[in-house]
Amino acid sequence: ALEPLNHFVAAERWLAHPTAGARLDAVSTVRNEMPAETFLELALWYVGAARLDDADRVLALAPPVAMVLYWRAYLHHQLGEADTTARVADAERATPRFVFPFRPESAEMLRWAAAASSNWKAGYYLALCEWANGDSAAAHRGLVALADRPDLASFYAARASFAGTDAAAARADLERAAVLDPGEWRFG
């Protein structure tokens, strides 16, 4: 018997029969503090199976957070859709707070997004993804390359934390973080 609470089963039911009830079932089974991550995990299974349309349809169910929006833009690019520029712009408008890209599959997508835009966010997310996957050198290079463009305190705190960072540069980054977010207890 199928597991009635299995996210994959609910997604498959919705993909096979895209009714309002099936959509509600697919969305309502996800009850965790970061539902977008659950939908991303499901969508990446479809990406791995070369079912890009289905991956996009699953992500359409997810909350519109930055990584979901970037992935949808990338999928539309892969599918040859004309709306990728607008979709990248939507992703750039999403808040960077609580965005923690860690999936190795996201690195290629974030490289594409960084090349498709002059905004700093995709480059920042790519650096976080590289860092999470053990490539600290690439992550540090990426953060340094962004210079002082970001307006996000956690960017400067992250860049200051790398081993081997010049003490004066690390201090300047932490001071910038404190100015950007004076209420943050770690550096404010």
Side-chain angles (χ1 to χ4, degrees):
L2 295 176
E3 300 173 45
L5 300 178
N6 185 306
H7 303 307
F8 182 76
V9 171
E12 279 289 299
R13 284 185 181 142
W14 179 73
L15 290 169
H17 306 286
T19 65
R23 183 186 194 289
L24 180 62
D25 287 345
V27 172
S28 66
T29 63
V30 179
R31 297 181 187 161
N32 56 45
E33 68 252 2
M34 297 184 89
E37 296 299 327
T38 300
F39 288 106
L40 280 165
E41 198 63 32
L42 284 168
L44 290 176
W45 185 90
Y46 289 105
V47 168
R51 293 174 57 186
L52 302 185
D53 281 319
D54 288 339
D56 183 54
R57 290 176 61 205
V58 166
L59 288 178
L61 301 172
V65 299
M67 289 301 291
V68 167
L69 296 171
Y70 276 117
W71 263 108
R72 292 200 71 203
Y74 182 65
L75 290 170
H76 280 235
H77 167 72
Q78 294 291 310
L79 292 166
E81 302 289 334
D83 64 347
T84 57
T85 301
R87 287 185 175 276
V88 168
D90 288 343
E92 291 167 349
R93 284 190 291 275
T95 181
R97 295 181 57 89
F98 303 108
V99 177
F100 309 109
F102 63 91
R103 292 177 179 86
E105 304 94 331
S106 293
E108 179 183 334
M109 176 274 294
L110 290 167
R111 280 186 199 92
W112 169 82
S117 171
S118 61
N119 189 287
W120 59 269
K121 288 181 182 177
Y124 170 58
Y125 300 145
L126 174 59
L128 292 180
C129 187
E130 290 169 332
W131 196 4
N133 286 285
D135 195 348
S136 296
H140 189 241
R141 281 191 308 272
L143 294 177
V144 169
L146 292 172
D148 292 332
R149 291 175 36 219
D151 58 357
L152 180 68
S154 58
F155 165 85
Y156 295 97
R159 190 168 67 182
S161 72
F162 277 90
T165 299
D166 173 69
R171 181 179 179 96
D173 276 346
L174 291 174
E175 288 172 351
R176 175 88 186 262
V179 167
L180 289 169
D181 192 356
E184 172 57 53
W185 65 269
R186 289 172 279 204
F187 43 77

